[in-house]
Amino acid sequence: MCSSDLLLGAKGTQIGAGGIGLRGSRFGGGGTAEPLGVIGTTGSSGYGRGAGTFGAKADSPRIVAGAPMTGDEYRNIDENPFHTVADSPLSTFSIDVDTASYANVRRYLQEGTAPPTDAVRVEELLNYFPYSYAPPTNGAPFATHAEVTAAPWADGHRLVRIGIKGKEFAAEATPPRNLVFLVDVSGSMNGADRLPLVQRGLTMLAQQLGPEDHVALVVYAGAAGVVLPPTRGDRTQELTSAIERLSAGGSTAGGAGIRLAYDLAKENFRKGAINRVILATDGDFNVGTTSDAELVDLIEEERKSGVFLTVLGVGRGNLQDAKMEQLADKGNGNYAYIDSISEMKKVLGTEVGSTLVTIAKDVKIQVEFNPAQVSAYRLIGYENRLLAARDFDDDTKDAGEIGAGHTVTALYEVVPATTRVAAEVAPLTYQGARAPTERSASGELLTVKLRYKEPTGDTSKLLSFPVHDEGSSFAAASADTRWAATVAGFGMLLRDSPQKGELSWAWVRDTGREALGADPGGYRAELLSLIDKARGLARN
């Protein structure tokens, strides 16, 4: 295929500033298009790469029989330790609804390979699954829930589950959509698990659009260009034809593509609509704006426009997971890894509302532990989302977003005050212990506070509620809490966490089977099969 096949827009549409959709034509901005069909080679060095053993750091690769070598890159994760309440009574973090880690872990296990340790983000495993949390009834964008039970992997410890359920929209109530598909068509996107998978997903989404919706298509390889200008959503044949004509080749000018996509979204910005860029890439940006810091700065500047970002990661062998996670976090958006057409159907089909419709932004959680009830605690996961205590009340600090119908789950392992623990630091010379307030005698275990902004707002609102521990056993816990403990245990065993306590693969498998519940979509049953695969790898 020649380069003009990629550039040709619907009905001969011109592409970019001064570019035309003819053979030998240029992308907008004057950059020369590189020939297509050339498979890019990466192999660049990076942190967190390699297929690892269970518990081995990601930079200690192990070659598994039949498994490909990998140059995938992940952000380093140092697991949250226990904190003493006397020294650190507040735990603060940004909400996270990304699910990329689960799909990526699934891909490794299905290929017969242990995932790199830093590819396992426990909060993203937890939030991959739906939970039966009740939706809000008081006009708030989400409802909050909590449950306390015994921690099954540590005798005497308690497990606290905090759950959030976003309000849902009926299909007919979904706001109009102003979407820009931004597709990486560089050489690294060759392969059935990359560009062809993206094309099928975007075609699927295009077929759901109506006359009130508008969508544009931007691509980038050696340079960036507009394949399809903003087009009404009911012109399905025009949209799908433009998507089907894409082909991969050349280097990757990701920064230029991001700028062009945001420019289009801003030019066609519609108040009250869903204004969003959907970026599909393996994250291998190697032309122009390439450093993580430059890309983050670019996204942080662009998000001020009110255009949100969804990142769909694809491919294997040079997946730039760390980069895509950062871009989604800073772009007021979400990050999903697409390893199959079924996952694409989940993200852009079954869960398209939560993927595209934001109901609250900059959502932060702060938990204050009662020293009369708790001596120490640890947050399970969310290491990449931790905030300073002072950030909770600072409306200039960015945090996570919640989509329509989203469920969010966070777990704390708590050490009761009756159990003595070592202090984080030695006693201070000039300061003594804090004096307890009258409320410390209330019997409350902790207080959960949440701050959030309306999708178009700049000032946060505060929600707060106390949580008591009724002393429930793990066997008496709800199916949702037992399932959450199963998923957390799965993640801790994959990471060979120093906090895994008495966990075993058999316990994770048996507990998960008993907590399946209704299991809409069969996602929980799928995890049981992955547990079996991981258990087999651990034995070998």
Side-chain angles (χ1 to χ4, degrees), residues 1-8 15 27 32-40 181-191 194-199 202 217-227 242-255 257-258 260 278-287 312 314 318:
M1 176 178 284
C2 66
S3 60
S4 62
D5 292 326
L6 169 65
L7 298 175
L8 185 59
I15 300 174
F27 284 108
T32 301
E34 296 189 23
L36 301 182
V38 179
I39 300 177
F181 297 158
L182 174 58
V183 182
D184 180 353
V185 292
S186 63
S188 65
M189 289 290 285
N190 261 309
R194 304 185 190 198
L195 183 57
L197 185 57
V198 170
Q199 288 171 295
L202 296 185
L217 177 58
V218 174
V219 297
Y220 63 91
V226 180
V227 170
I243 293 168
E244 290 169 358
R245 283 197 293 270
L246 301 182
S247 182
S251 54
T252 316
I258 290 171
L260 182 54
I278 300 176
L279 167 61
T281 179
D282 61 3
D284 187 21
F285 303 156
N286 52 35
V287 173
L312 305 178
V314 294
N318 65 334

Side-chain angles (χ1 to χ4, degrees), residues 90 107-108 118 131 136 157 163 172 209 212 290 325 349 396 427 517:
L90 297 175
R107 182 256 298 184
Y108 274 102
D118 291 334
Y131 297 85
H157 291 192
E172 60 272 13
L209 303 178
E212 297 299 316
T290 58
E325 182 193 10
T396 67

Side-chain angles (χ1 to χ4, degrees), residues 103-362:
N104 194 25
V105 164
R106 175 176 61 199
R107 182 256 298 184
Y108 274 102
L109 291 176
Q110 288 179 340
E111 292 179 354
T113 307
T117 303
D118 291 334
V120 183
R121 296 187 287 272
V122 176
E123 71 280 3
E124 295 186 24
L125 307 188
L126 284 169
N127 290 323
Y128 184 85
F129 299 94
Y131 297 85
S132 57
Y133 305 154
T137 58
N138 58 358
F142 50 81
T144 52
H145 306 272
E147 185 176 3
V148 185
T149 186
W153 50 77
D155 186 40
H157 291 192
R158 307 296 289 170
L159 185 66
V160 179
R161 174 185 58 78
I162 299 171
I164 295 175
K165 173 65 175 181
K167 67 179 180 182
E168 298 177 339
F169 283 90
E172 60 272 13
T174 301
R177 287 166 277 203
N178 167 35
L179 306 178
V180 179
F181 297 158
L182 174 58
V183 182
D184 180 353
V185 292
S186 63
S188 65
M189 289 290 285
N190 261 309
D193 62 340
R194 304 185 190 198
L195 183 57
L197 185 57
V198 170
Q199 288 171 295
R200 292 179 67 183
L202 296 185
T203 297
M204 182 193 315
L205 179 55
Q207 291 170 343
Q208 302 176 53
L209 303 178
E212 297 299 316
D213 304 317
H214 286 80
V215 62
L217 177 58
V218 174
V219 297
Y220 63 91
V226 180
V227 170
L228 187 71
T231 301
R232 271 182 30 168
D234 59 350
R235 296 168 68 173
T236 306
Q237 184 60 46
E238 196 168 335
L239 300 178
T240 56
S241 293
I243 293 168
E244 290 169 358
R245 283 197 293 270
L246 301 182
S247 182
S251 54
T252 316
I258 290 171
R259 287 190 181 91
L260 182 54
Y262 271 97
D263 285 345
L264 268 183
K266 288 184 290 186
E267 288 172 10
N268 296 276
F269 189 90
R270 300 169 66 188
K271 188 174 182 180
I274 300 168
N275 296 281
R276 187 174 291 265
V277 171
I278 300 176
L279 167 61
T281 179
D282 61 3
D284 187 21
F285 303 156
N286 52 35
V287 173
T289 303
T290 58
S291 76
D292 287 1
E294 288 178 308
L295 287 166
V296 166
D297 288 346
L298 172 60
I299 292 296
E300 287 183 323
E301 183 62 31
E302 295 290 1
R303 78 175 182 219
K304 296 176 184 177
S305 66
V307 176
F308 289 16
L309 177 68
T310 290
V311 179
L312 305 178
V314 294
R316 54 202 270 274
N318 65 334
L319 179 72
Q320 307 299 296
D321 176 87
K323 188 174 296 183
M324 290 187 286
E325 182 193 10
Q326 275 195 307
L327 294 184
D329 291 351
K330 299 303 181 182
N332 281 354
N334 42 34
Y335 167 38
Y337 176 74
I338 309 299
D339 63 332
S340 63
I341 189 59
S342 60
E343 184 66 15
M344 188 69 85
K345 289 178 179 177
K346 178 177 184 286
V347 174
L348 294 183
T350 308
E351 300 178 358
V352 70
S354 55
T355 299
L356 300 183
V357 183
T358 299
I359 60 173
K361 69 178 182 180
D362 291 341

Side-chain angles (χ1 to χ4, degrees), residues 253-539:
I258 290 171
R259 287 190 181 91
L260 182 54
Y262 271 97
D263 285 345
L264 268 183
K266 288 184 290 186
E267 288 172 10
N268 296 276
F269 189 90
R270 300 169 66 188
K271 188 174 182 180
I274 300 168
N275 296 281
R276 187 174 291 265
V277 171
I278 300 176
L279 167 61
T281 179
D282 61 3
D284 187 21
F285 303 156
N286 52 35
V287 173
T289 303
T290 58
S291 76
D292 287 1
E294 288 178 308
L295 287 166
V296 166
D297 288 346
L298 172 60
I299 292 296
E300 287 183 323
E301 183 62 31
E302 295 290 1
R303 78 175 182 219
K304 296 176 184 177
S305 66
V307 176
F308 289 16
L309 177 68
T310 290
V311 179
L312 305 178
V314 294
R316 54 202 270 274
N318 65 334
L319 179 72
Q320 307 299 296
D321 176 87
K323 188 174 296 183
M324 290 187 286
E325 182 193 10
Q326 275 195 307
L327 294 184
D329 291 351
K330 299 303 181 182
N332 281 354
N334 42 34
Y335 167 38
Y337 176 74
I338 309 299
D339 63 332
S340 63
I341 189 59
S342 60
E343 184 66 15
M344 188 69 85
K345 289 178 179 177
K346 178 177 184 286
V347 174
L348 294 183
T350 308
E351 300 178 358
V352 70
S354 55
T355 299
L356 300 183
V357 183
T358 299
I359 60 173
K361 69 178 182 180
D362 291 341
V363 184
K364 309 169 189 174
I365 294 181
Q366 186 169 79
V367 178
E368 180 180 353
F369 293 89
N370 182 357
Q373 299 290 325
V374 180
S375 62
Y377 65 88
R378 73 178 181 101
L379 174 62
I380 301 175
Y382 290 93
E383 287 86 359
N384 292 342
R385 295 288 190 143
L386 299 180
L387 298 172
R390 63 181 177 275
D391 292 340
F392 182 73
D393 294 314
D394 185 350
D395 280 356
T396 67
K397 294 295 184 181
D398 180 56
E401 282 64 47
I402 294 180
H406 257 147
T407 58
V408 182
T409 299
L411 296 177
Y412 281 94
E413 183 177 346
V414 169
V415 182
T418 53
T419 302
R420 294 179 60 86
V421 295
E424 291 183 85
V425 295
L428 300 176
T429 302
Y430 302 109
Q431 297 183 46
R434 297 181 181 91
T437 66
E438 291 183 5
R439 190 165 167 180
S440 67
S442 65
E444 296 169 0
L445 185 74
L446 54 88
T447 293
V448 178
K449 295 186 290 184
L450 296 103
R451 280 200 176 276
Y452 70 94
K453 299 174 187 173
E454 300 291 343
T456 59
D458 296 318
T459 303
S460 68
K461 299 179 181 180
L462 175 66
L463 298 175
S464 177
F465 64 97
V467 176
H468 290 78
D469 184 356
E470 305 297 338
S472 298
S473 67
F474 185 76
S478 67
D480 277 340
T481 291
R482 286 182 286 120
W483 180 258
T486 296
V487 179
F490 173 67
M492 285 190 280
L493 287 174
L494 286 177
R495 294 184 56 83
D496 194 22
S497 167
Q499 310 294 351
K500 66 182 183 295
E502 300 173 3
L503 279 173
S504 69
W505 287 110
W507 181 90
V508 170
R509 180 66 164 77
D510 292 344
T511 304
R513 185 176 61 248
E514 294 169 359
L516 273 179
D519 193 23
Y523 303 126
R524 294 186 178 187
E526 178 190 63
L527 178 63
L528 298 185
S529 69
L530 297 182
I531 291 171
D532 289 338
K533 291 180 183 297
R535 187 179 185 181
L537 286 170
R539 286 173 176 165

